Amino acid sequence: LLLDSGVRRGTDVVKALALGAKAVLVGKPVFFALATAGEMGVNQMFQLLEEEIRAAMALMGVNDVRQLGRSHIKLRFSGDVVYR
């Protein structure tokens, strides 16, 4: 399973991996960073994304993405709508 939609923050990556994604594709943030600051902007974007992923995992008590699972995600249901 690959996730390729709506990824903006490191927490989006962590949630996708916890829900079973094997990889998460990051599109728009790369293009925004490239348009704004070129190659340096893309490097900074990936650095920030990595920091956000590490911070989220640390707050969850997880040291490795392979430890992530559905138990790390809390879903709330209201009718046909899922709230995260």
Side-chain angles (χ1 to χ4, degrees), residues 10-11 13-14 46-65:
T11 53
V13 174
V14 171
F46 278 118
Q47 182 179 8
L48 178 60
L49 194 63
E50 180 181 0
E51 289 171 7
E52 291 174 349
I53 291 167
R54 289 184 186 279
M57 288 175 44
L59 289 169
M60 297 166 75
V62 175
N63 297 320
D64 189 310
V65 293

Side-chain angles (χ1 to χ4, degrees), residues 6-8 17 19 24 29 32 36 42 44 49 69-70 78 83:
V7 176
R8 301 289 183 267
L17 294 173
L19 289 170
V24 179
F32 292 153
T36 303
V42 174
Q44 289 175 337
L49 194 63
R70 289 187 177 269
S78 176
Y83 297 93

